[in-house]
Each structure stands twice: as C-alpha cells, then as structure tokens.
C-alpha cells in the first residue's frame, strides 16, 4: 500500500485537505484534487488549476508606508478550470453524495488518481462511474481524464464537459497565511466551442495570457451539442447506454511564458498528438518508474512511514519547475497558500534532493535564481546598498513580495542560502562551465552585499539589523546563522576567482568590474567574521541579545495557543527566547566545520528547549542534528513528524497546500540525518546510523557521473556503485568503488 494513498472521507474539512493531498502536477501544471462534478453537501472548495510562475501583479496597500517598501506583489493565479465533467443518468445527476459509495486512490507508481462511485438507481440498476486523471510528465501541458460509466441496465445518459475561464483565486481574510483580496485577476478574451472547446484569458496587470483547449472522445455513438456562455465553453453528449461507455478527455494548457504569442496554435498542435489515454498512461508510468529507480528510498519495517516518504518525494517531483522561469512554490502547485511564492525553502530544504537525484532539475532551479540576479541588484540599491545583490524573501518574477519587512526583506540570509546551493551544485558536479557562467558572478554579487551590509569594528566583521531563519526573533545584530552563512559565501566568492582559468577570469573581471583587492577584502571579512558565542553557556548565541531575553514558558502555554504567531503580537514574541524554527542548529547542520562537536551538541540541547517548531521547516533539522549527535531515537521521533505531516494534516493547514520544504526535509532527514551524508570541499562523506525500529534503509544518489546505492542494515552498511566510479569517505576511511563494486562495513548500534 505504500505506493498508494486512499482516503474516502467526505467531511467538509477533509475534502479540502484531500484537494491538496490528491493534487496532481508536473512542475508546470498543477491541478487540485477537486471532484469533476463538484460537491453535493458542501460549498467550500478551493477549485484550483495553476501554472507555475503564471501570476498577476497586485498593489500592496499599507496603513503606513515607508521608504522602499515594495509597492506591488505577484500572485500565482488560479487559471482556466477544465476539470468539470457532469453526468446524468435517467435525468439524475451523478455526484459523490454520502449515499453513494466512493473510493479514492492516488497511485504514485502510475502518477494517476482514480475515483470510483457506485450507487443504485431503480431503473438503471447499479451504476459504477470511474474517474481517472493524470497530469502528464511527458507532455507538460497535458491534463488527461477518463471516465468509465457502467450501467447495469439500459439508461439514458448525458455527459457535459466544461472549460471555464470565469475563475478567481481563493481568499480567506481570517488567515494571514492564505491570500486575501485581489481574487479575480483574469479576463476572458476568447471562448470557442467546436470540435474542441477553448478559452483564452489575460491577466489584469502582468500582461500574460493563458489558454486551454480541450477535446474529448466517446466510445459510443451520441448526439453532441456545444455552447459558449459567460466565459465557459461546454459540450454535451446524449446517448443510450447499455453496459460500459468510456469518455476520454484531453486538456492542454499553454501560456505566454513558455509558448509566447503562439499559445493557441501550439495548444491545437499538442492536442493533435493526444490519441490514446492508455498510451499517455503508459508513458506516465514509464517516466515514474525511472523516477522511483533514480530516487530509490526505502525503509524496511514501517509501511506507514514508507508511504509518507513516497508521498513526499512524489509531490517534490510534481512541484519543481524545470524550465528556468519557474521554481518550487512553498506549497508546490497544490494550493494557493503563500500565493505561489518561492522562498529559501527551495535552496535549503528541497534543492539537495534534486541535486543528488536529478541534477538536470537542480540546474534549472539554479538558472531560475540566476535569472533574478539583475532584479536582486536593483533591490539592493533600493534598500540603500551601494552594490551587491539582495534576493527577495518571497517572489515569483524577482520583485520582493513581502509587505512585512521584519520577517521578509530583513531575512538577508536568503542571499547566502542561494549562494550556498550554487556552491553545493559545483561541489557535486565539478562543472567548470558552471563556475564561469554562473557561480563566480552570483557569489561576487552576494559577497558585495555582505561587504556593504557589514562593517569592521574592533577587529570583527559584524552584520547588524537582519533577521535569521527564526521568525520569532526579528531585526537583530549578528545573527549567528546569517554571519556564518555570509562567511561561507565570502570565502567561496574569493575561492572562485582562484579556481577560474586565467582567460575566463580576465573576461569576468572586466564584466563584473572586480576591483583590485576586492577578493582579498572578502577573505579578510570572512576571517574576521564575528560569530557570537556565550562563554557561560558555551554555545553559539543566536544573536547579540537572544540569550539576554526572558525564556518563554512553553510548558505552561496552552495547546490552542500554537502556532504562537496566530495568537501573540510579534513584539511579544520578539521579547522572549522562543524560536519558531531551527536557526543556530540549522547553521550547525549546514556548516558543521564552523563549531566543535561539543559546542554544537550544547547548542542543540539549549535551543531545542526554546523551539516550538511552529514552522514545518524545523523538525527535519532537529532530526538530522540529533542523528549527528548520536541520539538516533530522538532523530527518529523528529523524522516521524516530517514524513506524514501532510497526510495526517498535523499542522492543520494542509487544505491551503502541501508543505514542500518539509517534504524535502524528509529526504534530508533520511540521507543527511540517518545516513549522515555531507558534501564538502574534501568530497562526499557518510556517517550512517539506523533507528532501532527499522530493519534496513536503502537509497540512491548521483555523485558526478556515478550512481551510488547505500543500504543500511542493523549490523552493516553496504555501498555499491551501480554506475560509474566514485570515491567517498565513511567516517575517516576513504572508499573507492568502480562500477559494479561494493563495500560492506560493520555498523555499530547508535
Ligand atoms: C517559515 C519560513 C518559510 C515560509 C514558507 C514560514 O512559516 O517561517 O522559514 O520560508 O514559512 O514556507
């Protein structure tokens, strides 16, 4: 069962959650798991179809607006709805009301979802309707549906399908995490109903168009009527059924970003290639077979966790933009929470999975970020810097979309996080062209930002008034995470110029106007970087004042007051030692050579006590670092929180969309946590441990041109080179494997 998710609950709240859980996507197109026919007993639904990065621009309204606050923001749009299929049998609408039996399955091996309804009608007898749908991985524009209707006796049947351009985004003014206002942002430009149904819409401000053309085929002779009205194109088939009838439907989406002005023609061409649902489904399954083989991740001993792992990896695949104009929204393409924005979530939490299993996608994600470099340079100037690149906290097309600067623009660490992921890509692939074409420039501009933000005082390089990852502590001096990440950024920026071949260095020096001594100044700043340390506690301080504050009494805080951000004014939170998420502990994970073992361990113990994990980005970090410190059972407990967070709706907001960073965190907790993988300038390293509850755990990663399979059993670890040759370390031992070779090493109980 770990390949499937089954949920037949039809209570209103769970239906909304299921819309996210059963969402299908392919990185370009995402469709929530809505019912084709809508709901019978409930009005609440977020009926959603999204195209990654397809957005409009809306004004930000402030009560009080200060200098360089962003004036507009981008918002991912709910686009044309082509999910609707309405069926009537002998004049009665078929719908998944409670009196009807329903079975619903997400099949992660096939990349399809299936919904089967069965009920009894006096005249037609028992009728079974099976809806299948998929969003294709092999033709990114395609959403395919198939409906099978099986009546026991002869019946008069009507099927209507609709392409609807009269759509809006969902809004809920009571919840700051869901978009509010500006719900309707698309105008219908054209509606046609002939052999195909098609609708074209345009955004109000961003000047982007989206088009959907759909065609269908029925397995039996029928009368077909078409109509258009109010932004909708509709077709209706009427026929007499006896036995089984199959309707196959293909909807193709195109948009200005990917298809230019030719979006209507291109949709028609793509539709021509769609002839058989079975063939489309076979291609889908073959694609997924490859995916599951490349990113194999199995544990033996807990089917529920295995299901959670599969589910999380499946949604990562479904959500990652791979066209360099899009990225991974914080909620994937499964909902409208966070308005489709991209955050540091990608670089720190999701990117590693792609880097180590699908480097092509990883490269595209970086190319997307690189394409925002000019906008980041402009933003740095707006905010008052003389040079450098300041990446926006949340964005789609490059402009800062956060209206709350203390937990938005002030999170300068995002620039270092992006730099970090670029460095990781280089360390894994060693692509020299990447160094010349992307890495050096990105690191140079981010290093310049740190030089312009920080300052030397008493022999220390200090960075004031920034916010670290923990959003319950804002605008502080010398956030340890930020300073340590900036140090890494500065050191690597200088190193890039040494790694470049002279002719490339010369060309870049001119283009980037590298000044004499500039790289040396980065090295000096890095060398003198101030990393706050508390002598009494012998831990790194989260920032200059964190440890002076009063400790929040978490034990006496009522359960219903969590997450704290929904129940306390930010200033209250800022005045206490209380963390929303991992901050210093995350720095220790990413940069383990910045502190010694004992300091990291003490920091862990200290910060764990003041962390609420109100952000889903926290558990995986605490899991990985518990494993690092040898507390494997604690690592396991934190890991469990990540693996089924959405399936079990533990954060109670899965209805707004899935928690993609946490999903990436599941992979991190297994591979970086239990297997203890690290990527360093010195190469690839493992320090594996296995939780008691599991018999074994296996996974695959790519390292340069090699494919490595790692299997952890209770008493040993086995490394096998399935493809290519590679060298890595297991603790202190260096291991080299040629293709087909393996090495087994005893594993001691953690
Ligand atoms: C977290 C941020 C995160 C954002 C989007 C917030 O709740 O505190 O770290 O980037 O969610 O996932």
């Amino acid at each position: 069962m770990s390949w499937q998710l089954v949920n037949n609950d039809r209570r209103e709240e769970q239906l909304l959650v299921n819309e996210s859980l059963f969402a299908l996507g392919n990185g370009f197109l995402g469709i929530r798991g809505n019912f084709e026919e809508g709901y019978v007993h409930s009005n609440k639904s977020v009926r959603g179809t999204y195209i990654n990065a397809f957005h409009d621009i809306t004004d930000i309204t402030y009560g009080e607006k200060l200098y360089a606050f962003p004036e507009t923001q981008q918002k991912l749009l709910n686009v044309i709805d082509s999910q609707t299929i309405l069926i009537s049998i002998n004049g009665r609408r078929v719908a998944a009301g409670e009196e009807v039996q329903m079975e619903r399955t997400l099949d992660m091996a096939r990349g399809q979802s299936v919904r089967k309804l069965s009920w009894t009608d006096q005249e037609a007898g028992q009728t079974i309707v099976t809806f299948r749908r998929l969003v294709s991985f092999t033709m990114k524009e395609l959403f395919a549906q198939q409906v099978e209707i099986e009546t026991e006796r002869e019946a008069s049947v009507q099927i209507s399908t609709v392409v609807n351009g009269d759509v809006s985004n969902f809004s809920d003014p009571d919840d700051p995490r869901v978009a509010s206002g500006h719900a309707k942002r698309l105008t219908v430009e054209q509606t046609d109903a002939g052999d195909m149904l098609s609708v074209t819409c345009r955004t109000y401000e961003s000047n982007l168009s989206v088009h959907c053309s759909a065609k269908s085929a029925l397995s039996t002779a029928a009368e077909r009527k078409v109509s258009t009205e109010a932004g909708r194109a509709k077709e209706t088939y009427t026929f007499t059924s006896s036995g089984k009838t199959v309707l196959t439907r293909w909807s193709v989406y195109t948009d200005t970003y990917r298809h230019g002005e030719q979006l209507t023609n291109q949709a028609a061409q793509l539709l021509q290639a769609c002839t058989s649902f079975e063939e489309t489904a076979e291609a889908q399954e073959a694609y997924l077979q490859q995916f599951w083989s490349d990113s194999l991740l199995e544990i033996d001993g807990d089917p529920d966790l295995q299901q959670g792992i599969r589910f999380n990896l499946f949604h990562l695949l479904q959500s990652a933009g791979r066209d360099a104009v899009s990225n991974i929204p914080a909620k994937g393409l499964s909902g409208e929470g966070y308005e489709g924005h991209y955050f540091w979530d990608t670089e720190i939490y999701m990117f590693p999975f792609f880097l180590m299993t699908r480097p092509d996608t990883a490269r595209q994600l970086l190319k997307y970020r690189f394409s925002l470099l000019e906008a980041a340079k402009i933003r740095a100037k707006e905010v008052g810097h003389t040079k450098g690149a300041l990446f926006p906290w949340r964005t789609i097309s490059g402009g800062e979309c956060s209206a709350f600067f203390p937990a938005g623009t002030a999170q300068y660490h995002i620039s270092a996080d992006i730099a970090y992921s670029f460095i990781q890509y280089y360390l894994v692939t060693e692509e020299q062209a990447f160094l010349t074409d992307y890495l050096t420039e990105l690191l140079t501009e981010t290093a310049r930002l740190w030089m312009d933000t920080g300052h030397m005082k008493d022999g220390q390089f200090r960075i004031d008034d920034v916010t670290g990852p923990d959003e319950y502590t804002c605008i502080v001096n010398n956030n340890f995470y930020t300073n340590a990440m900036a140090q890494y950024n500065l050191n690597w920026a200088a190193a890039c110029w040494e790694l470049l071949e002279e002719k490339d260095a010369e060309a870049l020096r001119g283009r980037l106007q590298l000044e004499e001594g500039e790289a040396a100044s980065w090295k000096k700043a890095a060398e003198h970087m101030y990393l706050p340390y508390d002598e009494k506690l012998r831990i790194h301080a989260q920032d200059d004042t964190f440890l002076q504050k009063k400790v929040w009494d978490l034990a006496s805080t009522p359960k219903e007051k969590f997450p704290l951000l929904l129940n306390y004014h930010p200033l209250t939170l800022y005045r206490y030692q209380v963390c929303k998420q991992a901050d210093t502990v995350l720095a220790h994970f990413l940069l383990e050579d910045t502190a010694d073992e004992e300091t990291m361990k003490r920091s862990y113990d200290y910060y764990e006590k003041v962390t609420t994990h109100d952000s889903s980005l926290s558990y995986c970090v605490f899991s990985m670092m518990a494993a690092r410190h040898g507390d494997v059972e604690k690592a396991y407990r934190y890991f469990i929180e990540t693996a089924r967070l959405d399936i079990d709706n533990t954060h109670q907001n899965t209805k707004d969309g899935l928690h993609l960073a946490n999903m990436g965190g599941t992979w991190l907790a297994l591979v970086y946590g239990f297997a203890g993988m690290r990527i360093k300038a010195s190469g690839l390293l493992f320090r594996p441990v296995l939780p008691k509850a599991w018999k074994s755990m296996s996974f695959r990663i790519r390292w340069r041109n090699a494919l490595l399979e790692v299997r952890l059993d209770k008493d040993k670890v086995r490394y096998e080179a399935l493809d290519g040759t590679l060298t890595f370390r297991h603790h202190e031992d260096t291991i080299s494997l040629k293709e087909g070779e393996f090495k087994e090493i005893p594993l001691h109980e953690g």
Side-chain angles (χ1 to χ4, degrees):
M1 285 316 282
S2 65
W3 290 103
Q4 296 189 337
L5 177 72
V6 178
N7 193 317
N8 302 326
D9 193 341
R10 273 171 283 173
R11 280 170 300 174
E12 180 168 300
E13 193 57 27
Q14 187 60 37
L15 279 174
L16 279 165
V17 171
N18 284 351
E19 289 179 357
S20 303
L21 298 179
F22 286 79
L24 294 177
N26 59 16
F28 167 71
L29 182 64
I31 299 185
R32 272 171 75 85
N34 306 112
F35 287 4
E36 279 73 1
E37 72 279 16
Y39 301 143
V40 184
H41 299 301
S42 140
N43 302 325
K44 244 199 187 170
S45 172
V46 183
R47 200 170 176 89
T49 300
Y50 313 103
I51 290 182
N52 203 348
F54 188 88
H55 67 276
D56 200 20
I57 298 165
T58 60
D59 289 337
I60 303 180
T61 320
Y62 294 94
E64 288 171 66
K65 180 173 170 292
L66 295 178
Y67 186 76
F69 279 23
E71 287 175 4
T72 58
Q73 63 169 335
Q74 305 123 45
K75 180 188 180 87
L76 183 77
L77 294 191
N78 175 26
V79 298
I80 305 164
D81 177 15
S82 192
Q83 296 188 66
T84 303
I85 300 177
L86 305 172
I87 303 166
S88 297
I89 298 191
N90 291 336
R92 259 184 72 202
R93 261 279 293 282
V94 171
E98 271 144 32
E99 68 284 3
V100 172
Q101 270 189 26
M102 189 193 83
E103 215 180 277
R104 180 182 210 192
T105 310
L106 173 69
D107 184 331
M108 297 178 277
R110 295 195 175 83
Q112 280 189 26
S113 75
V114 182
R115 193 162 57 92
K116 202 168 175 174
L117 307 180
S118 115
W119 83 106
T120 312
D121 173 79
Q122 267 189 353
E123 283 168 43
Q126 197 196 31
T127 300
I128 296 176
V129 178
T130 311
F131 293 97
R132 281 175 220 284
R133 45 162 71 187
L134 64 84
V135 172
S136 170
F137 284 111
T138 51
M139 183 193 284
K140 69 175 189 298
E141 296 85 355
L142 177 63
F143 169 48
Q145 292 161 293
Q146 190 181 62
V147 192
E148 203 179 277
I149 304 167
E150 199 170 354
T151 54
E152 204 176 322
R153 290 193 281 280
E154 202 173 84
S156 146
V157 181
Q158 236 186 27
I159 309 181
S160 302
T161 81
V162 182
V163 180
N164 178 15
D166 183 19
V167 288
S168 333
N169 277 62
F170 180 74
S171 68
D172 184 352
D174 295 333
D175 188 341
R177 293 170 298 184
V178 187
S180 58
H182 302 297
K184 182 130 189 81
R185 305 299 303 175
L186 279 179
T187 9
V188 178
E189 293 214 308
Q190 207 174 335
T191 319
D192 288 310
D195 289 347
M196 307 185 306
L197 305 179
S198 53
V199 173
T200 309
C201 293
R202 202 166 186 82
T203 58
Y204 288 7
E205 296 293 334
S206 59
N207 223 9
L208 296 170
S209 292
V210 55
H211 173 91
C212 176
S213 281
K215 72 172 184 187
S216 57
L218 195 69
S219 64
T220 189
E223 181 198 5
R224 178 175 181 268
K225 283 197 177 143
V226 293
S227 62
T228 58
E229 63 160 343
R232 291 177 169 81
K234 181 172 169 183
E235 67 180 353
T236 303
Y237 293 98
T238 309
F239 58 96
T240 305
S241 105
S242 53
K244 200 190 281 182
T245 311
V246 179
L247 174 91
T248 308
R249 187 158 185 270
W250 294 274
S251 304
V252 160
Y253 284 84
T254 50
D255 81 321
T256 320
Y257 262 133
R258 287 79 173 186
H259 306 90
E261 290 307 312
Q262 294 301 310
L263 67 180
T264 309
N265 294 348
Q266 289 207 25
Q269 273 171 25
L270 288 163
L271 261 189
Q272 270 175 17
C274 303
T275 50
S276 145
F277 186 86
E278 285 66 30
E279 277 173 26
T280 308
E282 270 168 34
Q284 183 87 338
E285 193 173 346
Y287 182 95
L288 281 166
Q289 228 170 36
Q290 190 62 49
F291 169 73
W292 290 117
S293 163
D294 292 343
S295 50
L296 176 125
L297 185 39
E298 286 177 350
I299 52 171
D300 186 0
D302 195 329
D304 285 347
L305 282 185
Q306 180 69 63
Q307 181 194 41
I309 294 167
R310 292 236 157 86
F311 181 78
N312 292 356
L313 299 191
F314 182 64
H315 276 289
L316 281 169
L317 174 73
Q318 293 206 111
S319 312
R322 12 217 187 269
D323 51 17
V325 298
S326 59
N327 202 272
I328 315 177
K331 303 278 182 193
L333 295 168
S334 69
E336 296 173 20
Y338 289 127
E339 291 153 290
H341 292 162
Y342 315 129
F343 293 72
W344 71 311
D345 303 32
T346 300
E347 279 72 16
I348 298 300
Y349 292 84
M350 304 182 245
F351 176 78
F353 165 69
F354 293 102
L355 174 62
M356 302 310 287
T357 60
R358 304 176 76 74
D360 290 350
T361 303
R363 195 171 215 273
Q364 293 296 84
L365 292 169
L366 297 185
K367 277 174 81 174
Y368 158 82
R369 276 300 186 191
F370 192 81
S371 75
L372 305 189
L373 189 56
E374 283 314 306
K377 282 159 72 178
I378 293 170
R379 180 68 185 148
K381 292 247 160 65
E382 275 171 13
V383 172
H385 295 289
T386 54
K387 53 184 173 177
L390 172 59
F391 281 93
W393 177 239
R394 48 192 292 179
T395 191
I396 294 177
S397 59
E400 174 64 271
C401 292
S402 174
F404 184 59
F405 79 91
T409 298
Q411 294 205 46
Y412 268 46
H413 66 86
I414 187 163
S415 294
D417 303 332
I418 291 169
Y420 185 90
S421 67
F422 274 68
I423 297 162
Q424 295 287 298
Y425 181 89
Y426 178 69
L427 287 175
V428 172
T429 63
E430 276 195 328
E431 276 174 29
Q432 284 311 295
F434 183 76
L435 173 73
T436 326
D437 298 346
Y438 302 104
L439 185 65
T440 307
E441 185 168 350
L442 190 115
L443 295 196
T444 296
E445 296 301 350
T446 43
R448 285 172 171 168
L449 175 81
W450 299 120
M451 295 307 289
D452 205 71
T453 311
H455 64 111
M456 276 291 214
K457 186 169 187 295
D458 303 331
Q460 289 172 324
F461 191 82
R462 307 170 69 94
I463 300 175
D464 295 333
D465 292 311
V466 294
T467 297
D470 166 33
E471 294 184 354
Y472 288 170
T473 312
C474 289
I475 323 251
V476 291
N477 293 347
N478 299 304
N479 166 251
F480 174 79
Y481 177 94
T482 308
N483 287 20
M485 291 292 278
Q487 182 182 46
Y488 188 70
N489 188 161
L490 287 160
N491 270 331
W492 262 96
C496 277
W497 287 95
E498 284 159 22
L499 288 164
L500 283 170
E501 301 213 350
E502 188 41 41
K503 66 170 186 356
D504 296 328
E506 202 182 303
L508 272 176
R509 221 176 275 131
R511 192 161 67 74
L512 302 180
Q513 299 180 354
L514 186 79
E515 285 167 21
E516 190 68 41
E518 205 179 344
S521 73
W522 302 337
K523 266 195 192 167
K524 188 169 163 218
E527 195 188 322
H528 295 276
M529 184 65 72
Y530 168 56
L531 299 171
Y533 183 81
D534 187 279
E535 294 293 345
K536 217 161 106 211
L537 295 167
R538 294 189 299 144
I539 62 172
H540 278 292
Q542 187 168 305
D543 57 64
D544 280 357
T545 55
F546 185 84
L547 297 173
Q548 321 307 321
K549 294 175 184 173
K550 194 170 168 190
V551 176
W552 185 288
D553 184 359
L554 283 176
S556 315
T557 309
K559 240 180 148 185
E560 62 278 9
K561 292 285 191 188
F562 294 92
L564 301 182
L565 78 150
L566 296 184
N567 295 291
Y568 297 90
H569 190 280
L571 278 173
T572 308
L573 300 172
Y574 299 168
R575 290 189 181 118
Y576 283 85
Q577 287 191 50
V578 62
C579 299
K580 184 180 179 189
Q581 61 205 102
D583 193 299
T584 307
V585 177
L586 178 57
H588 288 328
F589 161 61
L590 295 171
L591 301 165
E592 64 175 18
D593 298 324
T594 312
D596 62 65
E597 294 290 327
E598 289 309 310
T599 306
M600 290 198 287
K601 173 81 178 71
R602 282 191 295 269
S603 284
Y604 184 98
D605 292 341
Y606 189 88
Y607 291 108
E608 187 186 26
K609 292 194 189 77
V610 295
T611 302
T612 59
H613 310 289
D614 280 349
S615 160
S616 67
L617 278 62
S618 199
Y619 301 122
C620 67
V621 181
F622 278 86
S623 174
M624 288 185 285
M625 288 308 280
R628 173 80 179 82
H629 300 313
D631 194 342
V632 186
E633 296 318 304
K634 182 182 272 184
Y636 175 73
R637 287 197 297 278
Y638 277 119
F639 166 74
I640 290 176
E641 296 289 341
T642 76
R644 293 184 59 88
L645 186 139
D646 281 308
I647 294 185
D648 296 338
N649 192 19
T650 57
H651 269 231
Q652 293 185 8
N653 59 358
T654 291
K655 65 177 170 39
D656 306 328
L658 304 168
H659 299 78
L660 264 291
N662 170 72
M663 291 176 153
T666 296
W667 187 88
L668 291 175
L670 289 163
V671 175
Y672 282 76
F674 298 118
M677 187 182 87
R678 293 291 184 275
I679 295 159
K680 301 191 179 203
S682 55
L684 180 64
L685 162 74
F686 294 97
R687 290 179 293 228
V689 290
L690 189 70
K692 284 202 179 69
W694 300 343
K695 294 195 194 87
S696 71
M697 164 183 145
S698 315
F699 66 92
R700 288 184 187 159
I701 53 154
R702 294 211 156 266
W703 178 259
R704 296 177 192 155
N705 294 321
L707 178 65
L708 177 71
E709 183 167 305
V710 182
R711 183 187 163 95
L712 275 65
D713 285 304
K714 289 223 172 286
D715 57 346
K716 63 175 186 300
V717 54
R718 177 190 157 104
Y719 299 101
E720 181 174 358
L722 299 179
D723 201 357
T725 298
L726 81 164
T727 298
F728 58 92
R729 273 185 305 136
H730 167 95
H731 292 274
E732 304 307 320
D733 301 338
T734 300
I735 300 172
S736 291
L737 296 175
K738 294 207 186 75
E739 190 165 319
E741 282 181 356
F742 68 87
K743 169 116 186 149
E744 288 185 346
I745 303 174
L747 201 62
H748 306 294
E749 292 246 334

